[in-house]
Amino acid sequence: MNGTVIVITGALGALGSKVAEMALARGARVAGVDHAQAQLPATDDRIELGGVDLSDAAQAKTAMDAVATHFGRLDALINVAGGFTFEAAADGDGSAWPKMYQLNVLTALNASRAALPHLARSSAGRIVNVGAMGALQAGAGMGPYAASKAGVHRLTEALAAEWKGKITVNAVLPSIIDTAANRASMPKADFDKWVSPQELAEVILFLASDAASGVTGALIPVAGRV
């Protein structure tokens, strides 16, 4: 990945930071975009754009244009930004449904639309989205989250069809990711069966690499040690 310019949304979270760390170690140049404030000063190989609300199309465009200006191009977009909320379909107040759509679908859509003109000028444009295995069959209280991640899956397939032969668009579908937040919310779970951020990052970076040039429109489950 030497010299590849990669934008990672949600780059300051547990998964995004691991993807950024591994990409940098492999020679990529990384732009991290996050709703949280930037933490690190810019270097030749890395910049952070903080305070960006990717559910706002104008802010997404400003961020992607800034990355392209800083590095001179954009080769890959990895959409990690998102969120999770439980809400029972029958008993909830309904607020989680638009929230999940905004955090999971709109962020990926707006970031992708803003990045596409730049990716189209790359010799190997890539988009990698983060879906969810939980969107394949929703459990109790998972309706809003599963519906939004199913939207990410369909967005992935639509973009792959629209840009076939020009840009590859794929998604990883993890089971539960082994993060501090997930351990805190599910303390009695068997963490050894969860997907580690490093395992998931490996698959993401493969899809963003030259080696995955023949893969597009794929929804790839990453189940961990089941």
Side-chain angles (χ1 to χ4, degrees):
M1 306 194 82
N2 192 37
T4 300
V5 177
I6 299 176
V7 180
I8 303 168
T9 72
L12 301 183
L15 176 58
S17 60
K18 177 56 68 173
V19 175
E21 174 191 321
M22 291 174 63
L24 286 164
R26 297 175 186 188
R29 293 183 288 172
V30 173
V33 179
D34 205 289
H35 193 266
Q37 293 302 313
Q39 300 174 353
L40 298 174
T43 67
D44 290 342
D45 294 328
R46 182 172 188 168
I47 60 170
E48 289 184 355
L49 302 176
V52 180
D53 180 1
L54 290 171
S55 67
D56 182 291
Q59 291 189 45
K61 184 179 187 303
T62 297
M64 297 304 157
D65 289 350
V67 173
T69 298
H70 182 84
F71 286 122
R73 69 177 198 272
L74 199 167
D75 300 307
L77 169 65
I78 299 172
N79 282 312
V80 178
F84 176 81
T85 299
F86 276 106
E87 183 181 298
D91 301 329
D93 63 9
S95 62
W97 294 83
K99 178 181 178 181
M100 287 294 90
Y101 179 81
Q102 181 178 24
L103 288 177
N104 293 323
V105 182
L106 277 185
T107 56
L109 172 63
N110 289 337
S112 297
R113 292 181 66 186
L116 282 168
H118 305 292
L119 294 172
R121 291 192 284 271
S122 171
S123 60
R126 306 277 186 266
I127 295 176
V128 184
N129 294 322
V130 177
M133 285 185 66
L136 301 179
Q137 182 174 353
M142 295 284 286
Y145 176 76
S148 67
K149 284 298 188 177
V152 173
H153 300 174
R154 303 292 83 79
L155 170 64
T156 300
E157 293 167 338
L159 284 175
E162 292 170 12
W163 290 83
K164 189 173 182 179
K166 299 177 182 177
I167 297 168
T168 68
V169 188
N170 297 289
V172 293
L173 280 55
S175 57
I176 301 172
I177 305 173
D178 190 0
T179 65
N182 282 339
R183 287 190 177 213
S185 65
M186 294 173 275
K188 296 182 180 180
D190 185 353
F191 307 142
D192 289 337
K193 293 184 178 180
W194 290 0
V195 178
S196 74
Q198 180 167 343
E199 288 173 321
L200 188 52
E202 288 281 4
V203 181
I204 288 171
L205 290 178
F206 165 72
L207 292 172
S209 73
D210 289 342
S213 61
V215 183
T216 194
L219 306 176
I220 301 177
V222 186
R225 295 167 293 282
V226 294

